[in-house]
Amino acid sequence: MIPQTDPKAAYLAQKAEIDAALARALMSGWYILGEEVKGFEREFAAFAGAPRAIGVANGTDALAIGLRALGVRPGDRVITVSHTAVATVAAIEMIGAVPLLVDIEEGGYGMDPEALEAALSLPGAPVRAVVPVHLYGHPAAMDRIMPIAAGAGIPVLEDCSQAHGARLLGQGVGSFGQAAAYSLYPTKNLGALGDGGVLTANEAALADQMVALREYGWRERYISDIAGQNSRLDELQAAILRVKLRALDADNERRRHIAALYRAALDGLAFGLPAERRDARHVYHQFVIRCRRRDQVREFLRGKGVASNVHYPLPVHLQPAYRGRIALAPSGLARTEEAARTVLSLPMFPQLPERDVQRVAEALAGAAASGLD
Ligand SMILES: *Cc1c(COP(=O)(O)O)cnc(C)c1O
């Protein structure tokens, strides 16, 4: 079976270096918030073009801590999308804030700027943050979202969990908003071998607030200035991440190359191919096609030895935990619901061999030839 993703292949590609980094971290005798985390934070900030980076325990915590650092309080509204990992919405509720979900843009998967603008003028509790998601590795329309949010005086926290290294108009994602949150889950473009997350902040005071929030609200050891939590990145994961960060640009290039191979091979078939803005650098966390008979296509591929996945089969607002109680933009979420019915994620990871890309494309051609598209 050709896997849809393969974090072990990423480990094996850098095994000697990762094993050495682990041995170094183990022998240091210091296992939480030490030199490895500091090193990773410095190196990730440089990579992201941000003044500061702050390691945390996972991507959900990064979002929650980012929102709190931006001043979001219980009862405040936060606008985001429903076509995302449930974590984006869960993080908003974790801090007692109230999600307001808007639709995605026509022809893409990012927040629709017009839906954002309309949602900002709804009556009700004040909106205190906007969380665009750079889903699948393609940047959301930050060139349109930022002026709208800035015009309303509302800070933006970018969810970059699927877009480490993506760019728009020559600028890295995560550097448009006041802050950005990244998951470092093993299958992400930059993945730990366990849980991890990281935040970036555009100014020192905001970064200091995040540092305090991730460890009991301490500014000085054992003295809580504010009510914080425990969300620390550990030294072993940080040591691994420093090795993997060095491969991230090459890994993203390899993902882009695989995407180009898919495009060439699928050209002319009836599947919808992912859009890439000309002024964007898509980093293909996923290569997502659109199929009318998605579940049958998926079954057909499985029969040909090709694994695929669906990100995500149910939009957040239709999931049992949220259905009927979550605030939605009055114009509805039609594009989101259509995407959930038709999206299919093909095998995509840097170590995927070219012959497997061809086999995936041949299997899809076979599906189309038997009337499944
Ligand atoms: C993976 C992911 C998260 C959550 O990250 P965890 O590390 O699993 O908590 C949040 N948002 C998006 C868009 C993601 O893909």
Side-chain angles (χ1 to χ4, degrees):
M1 196 76 159
I2 299 174
Q4 200 271 324
T5 185
D6 191 353
K8 184 178 175 185
Y11 166 55
L12 293 178
Q14 293 186 286
K15 184 174 184 306
E17 277 180 280
I18 289 174
D19 290 355
L22 281 172
R24 178 184 73 219
L26 287 169
M27 287 307 290
S28 76
W30 190 282
Y31 304 116
I32 290 285
L33 296 185
E35 290 308 312
E36 300 291 346
V37 170
K38 277 192 208 130
F40 172 67
E41 289 176 341
R42 206 169 44 237
E43 290 152 16
F44 189 79
F47 173 86
R52 293 270 294 278
I54 300 93
V56 294
N58 56 66
T60 312
D61 280 1
L63 287 160
I65 290 172
L67 289 171
R68 275 198 68 192
L70 288 170
V72 177
R73 301 179 61 87
D76 289 344
R77 272 180 169 170
V78 176
I79 296 179
T80 190
V81 288
S82 188
H83 186 58
T84 182
V86 74
T88 313
V89 178
I92 295 169
E93 291 201 333
M94 254 170 68
I95 64 163
V98 181
L100 170 57
L101 306 182
V102 302
D103 211 354
I104 51 176
E105 63 201 324
E106 177 72 47
Y109 298 104
M111 177 181 282
D112 176 14
E114 279 162 34
L116 167 65
E117 192 154 34
L120 283 173
S121 57
L122 288 175
V127 175
R128 297 285 193 215
V130 177
V131 183
V133 182
H134 306 301
L135 203 73
Y136 306 146
H138 190 280
M142 300 310 294
D143 49 336
R144 297 182 56 205
I145 291 170
M146 286 312 299
I148 295 169
I154 298 169
V156 172
L157 172 67
E158 296 175 63
D159 185 344
C160 297
S161 297
Q162 302 191 3
H164 319 65
R167 300 178 78 78
L168 180 68
L169 293 157
Q171 190 179 335
V173 299
S175 67
F176 290 87
Q178 281 68 21
Y182 297 77
S183 169
L184 304 169
Y185 184 81
T187 57
K188 306 287 162 118
N189 291 42
L190 177 63
L193 299 176
D195 270 314
V198 64
L199 283 151
T200 57
N202 70 349
E203 22 167 280
L206 185 58
D208 290 344
Q209 190 76 353
M210 293 168 177
V211 168
L213 284 166
R214 79 166 163 194
E215 195 172 37
Y216 318 126
W218 287 350
R219 270 191 227 285
E220 192 184 317
R221 201 167 177 81
Y222 308 126
I223 310 292
S224 296
D225 248 15
I226 49 175
Q229 66 188 83
N230 171 6
S231 182
R232 297 177 296 223
L233 179 64
D234 71 72
E235 286 285 286
L236 289 175
Q237 296 304 335
I240 293 165
L241 286 161
R242 295 177 78 181
V243 175
K244 294 186 86 181
L245 181 59
R246 295 201 285 271
L248 179 54
D249 270 328
D251 282 352
N252 280 340
E253 276 311 312
R254 176 74 195 165
R255 288 174 183 271
R256 290 176 53 76
H257 177 64
I258 292 169
L261 294 176
Y262 273 138
R263 277 184 201 285
L266 300 177
D267 187 39
L269 299 181
F271 303 104
L273 297 182
E276 177 168 356
R277 268 177 65 161
R278 260 216 304 263
D279 50 11
R281 179 178 187 248
H282 193 327
V283 291
Y284 293 98
H285 175 59
Q286 302 294 352
F287 189 91
V288 175
I289 62 169
R290 300 286 280 256
C291 317
R292 271 178 297 214
R293 295 187 188 75
R294 191 260 321 278
D295 296 339
Q296 287 162 274
V297 172
R298 200 172 172 208
E299 205 45 54
F300 185 96
L301 291 180
R302 189 176 296 135
K304 299 282 179 202
V306 175
S308 59
N309 211 336
V310 175
H311 301 98
Y312 297 91
L314 260 191
V316 176
H317 69 282
L318 297 180
Q319 298 190 18
Y322 300 94
R323 192 179 187 120
R325 68 163 186 86
I326 201 121
L328 305 177
S331 49
L333 275 68
R335 291 181 197 132
T336 293
E337 292 176 15
E338 173 66 13
R341 280 191 291 271
T342 55
V343 289
L344 185 66
S345 304
L346 302 184
M348 173 55 87
F349 51 94
Q351 295 76 25
L352 183 65
E354 294 197 5
R355 64 175 181 281
D356 285 356
V357 176
Q358 296 310 331
R359 275 183 54 202
V360 174
E362 281 158 24
L364 280 166
S370 33
L372 297 179
D373 56 51

